[in-house]
Amino acid sequence: MPTKHRRLTSPTDDDVRAWHRVRSAALAHDRPGEPLPTLAEVRTALTTVGPGSRLALWLAYGANGEGVATAKLRLPTAENSGRLASVELTVHPAHRRMGMGSRLLTTAVAAAAEENCRRLSTEVLAGTPGESFLSTRDFVPALRLTWQRLLLAEIPERIVKLPDVPHPGYRLASWEGAPPDALADSFAAARAGLADQPTGGLAVTWTQWDAERVRRTAELAARRGERLLNHAAVSVADGSVAGYTKLTLPAEAAAGGGARAKQLDTAVLPAHRGHGLGLWLKSAMLRHLVDGHPEVAEVVTNTADDNRHMLAVNAALGFRPLRRTVAYQLRLA
């Protein structure tokens, strides 16, 4: 039975290995068949955080001194006025239902409250005991998400041809990492296109974007060992970004294939909607992967169940359901 847990101020190699063991065992049990994280990916996740956030980490130990459970709490920094926190709990399958998850959650809730956070969120697989675990601790379901996967070998032929379809008034632009200087400001402004995406009852802090923050985000992806790919629809009239899509792929992906890319946000500014730019952009990104990144075998993404439009776009591209999760939220005093 777990006997104690410890806050990690600076994770050691042993801490990272213990965290990796717990995380890998839990994922293999809960999401069989999906890729497991590498040791390097776990180390990066514990030591790298984006602007406006900081991490608090706890590792729980069993009677033999082995790691059996983890908690990663993402806290807002002083510059982040939203005061929203999120927590990720993981318990080794062999040590579940022994009270460690409850103790770690209690610790994380107390830490978030001490930082004057207003809400704490977490995400669990739909239809699993994790839902009742949270519900009995005053968390309420706030947003349901569908995760989807696309095997690049199964992309419909019509999708591969979509980038060649003219979109009068727009041109495609693409880059890796930070945007070119000529597009940096308008790309930052286009991030505002996410402000009206469905979020259910989940409280969200909308970031004020500028060119410098966009560049820092690209640098963060590089520090995480990821390549950040971007495609944008640029208005011919004024040269500004009307919409964009982006994804990441592992920087160290083996040439032999099998790598998984992660589709991130896609947004089109309200004034440019109704022209099919979202589908056009995402199909262009997929074409780019097929032509230029043979090491990538699949793309995964998640979309709010309320976002029917994007779910339909993904289905048209060939994405198929992978799993469903629920974001729960706790209102703090």
Side-chain angles (χ1 to χ4, degrees):
M1 174 175 290
T3 57
K4 63 178 181 177
H5 60 274
R6 172 173 66 92
R7 185 163 179 171
L8 308 180
T9 54
S10 181
T12 65
D13 288 345
D14 286 341
D15 294 334
V16 173
R17 282 191 289 268
W19 200 290
H20 178 261
R21 172 182 175 272
V22 173
R23 183 71 176 157
S24 297
L27 287 175
H29 179 273
D30 299 336
R31 288 152 46 182
E34 293 200 41
L36 298 180
T38 65
L39 195 64
E41 288 170 339
V42 170
R43 178 178 286 104
T44 298
L46 300 183
T47 57
T48 307
V49 64
S53 300
R54 56 192 176 86
L55 297 178
L57 310 169
W58 291 270
L59 178 61
Y61 301 89
N64 296 327
E66 77 281 13
V68 298
T70 65
K72 181 169 72 172
L73 177 66
R74 186 179 299 272
L75 292 164
T77 57
E79 68 186 75
N80 187 338
S81 61
R83 310 312 302 164
L84 305 178
S86 63
V87 64
E88 181 182 280
L89 287 177
T90 307
V91 181
H92 193 290
H95 295 270
R96 292 176 180 175
R97 300 184 183 278
M98 297 180 182
M100 199 63 250
S102 297
R103 276 174 267 180
L104 282 176
L105 183 60
T106 298
T107 298
V109 169
E114 288 174 5
E115 296 289 338
N116 296 316
C117 294
R118 293 201 293 264
R119 290 180 176 85
L120 176 66
S121 65
T122 190
E123 191 174 325
V124 295
L125 284 169
T128 65
E131 289 205 73
S132 58
F133 171 79
L134 293 172
S135 295
T136 57
R137 289 160 179 80
D138 297 326
F139 281 78
V140 296
L143 183 65
R144 298 187 180 276
L145 297 153
T146 294
W147 290 74
Q148 297 169 293
R149 175 173 57 188
L150 170 65
L151 300 178
L152 294 187
E154 299 178 1
I155 296 177
E157 185 178 353
R158 59 185 174 81
I159 296 301
V160 178
K161 294 180 178 179
L162 269 180
D164 298 327
V165 177
H167 275 62
Y170 302 95
R171 64 177 177 85
L172 284 171
S174 63
W175 64 87
E176 182 173 335
D181 291 343
L183 295 177
D185 289 329
S186 65
F187 179 69
R191 299 297 298 265
L194 286 173
D196 61 354
Q197 70 174 343
T199 58
L202 189 66
V204 177
T205 299
W206 294 111
T207 302
Q208 296 297 316
W209 287 92
D210 56 24
E212 178 56 30
R213 192 179 188 96
V214 165
R215 294 187 183 99
R216 282 192 290 161
T217 300
E219 292 169 359
L220 176 65
R223 292 202 305 273
R224 286 175 173 164
E226 299 171 336
R227 297 178 65 180
L228 178 62
L229 307 184
N230 308 266
H231 273 65
V234 178
S235 170
V236 174
D238 60 11
S240 66
V241 173
Y244 70 91
T245 189
K246 62 180 185 174
L247 59 74
T248 60
L249 58 152
E252 302 299 326
R260 168 180 280 188
K262 298 177 183 177
Q263 172 72 59
L264 305 179
D265 42 292
T266 300
V268 177
L269 288 172
H272 298 276
R273 291 173 185 169
H275 302 290
L277 296 184
L279 183 61
W280 190 45
L281 285 165
K282 296 186 83 165
S283 63
M285 179 69 82
L286 294 177
R287 164 84 71 82
H288 178 73
L289 288 180
V290 171
D291 293 344
H293 296 278
E295 75 279 10
V296 178
E298 62 182 18
V299 182
V300 295
T301 189
N302 70 80
T303 306
D305 284 2
D306 293 341
N307 194 344
R308 300 298 180 186
H309 173 72
M310 191 54 64
L311 287 171
V313 167
N314 289 343
L317 291 165
F319 281 86
R320 297 294 176 259
L322 179 62
R323 62 179 177 272
R324 300 188 70 227
T325 59
V326 185
Y328 276 76
Q329 192 166 253
L330 174 69
R331 185 184 295 272
L332 301 172

